[in-house]
Amino acid sequence: MSEQQAPPGVIPYVEFHTGERRVLTVHLTSGNGMLTSKVPPVVSIDGRQYVVYWGSVSFEVPADRAVHLSVHVEGAHLGQAATALLPPGGALALTYRTDFLSGVGSLG
């Protein structure tokens, strides 16, 4: 993948990094229709936050080192955070799920 330009539809990695890159796709889901219609998810890549939409979102991330990923929703009483340290490697896809009753988010 070009170090200068992310593929179309992929949010580019904006921190300084000169090594290989890969695509991380995060599938953002919730069983709560009211939540998804009113509260957007927030995805953080190495500490940089992106307010995105529910569904699938792709990010360009380093392939030659670990990357910190976290996802949460914000609201008066919502947290539903999940976090993971992704090892170096190739392209990957993860799913973020919210559980409205427990207030817990998960990545898998």
Side-chain angles (χ1 to χ4, degrees), residues 2-92:
S2 167
E3 291 182 359
Q4 300 301 317
Q5 185 175 355
V10 175
I11 297 170
Y13 190 74
V14 296
E15 302 300 330
F16 179 77
H17 181 261
T18 59
E20 291 294 314
R21 298 182 186 197
R22 59 185 164 163
V23 174
L24 164 66
T25 301
V26 182
H27 305 287
L28 302 149
T29 64
S30 175
N32 182 344
M34 288 184 64
L35 174 70
T36 59
S37 68
K38 296 182 180 188
V39 182
V42 179
V43 175
S44 296
I45 306 290
D46 287 342
R48 184 170 299 260
Q49 293 188 343
Y50 300 88
V51 178
V52 295
Y53 48 82
W54 293 96
S56 294
V57 181
S58 295
F59 298 90
E60 180 184 52
V61 299
D64 57 350
R65 66 167 178 76
V67 173
H68 182 252
L69 166 69
S70 67
V71 184
H72 70 278
V73 293
E74 294 182 354
H77 300 289
L78 300 174
Q80 303 188 16
T83 185
L85 184 61
L86 308 176
L92 56 116

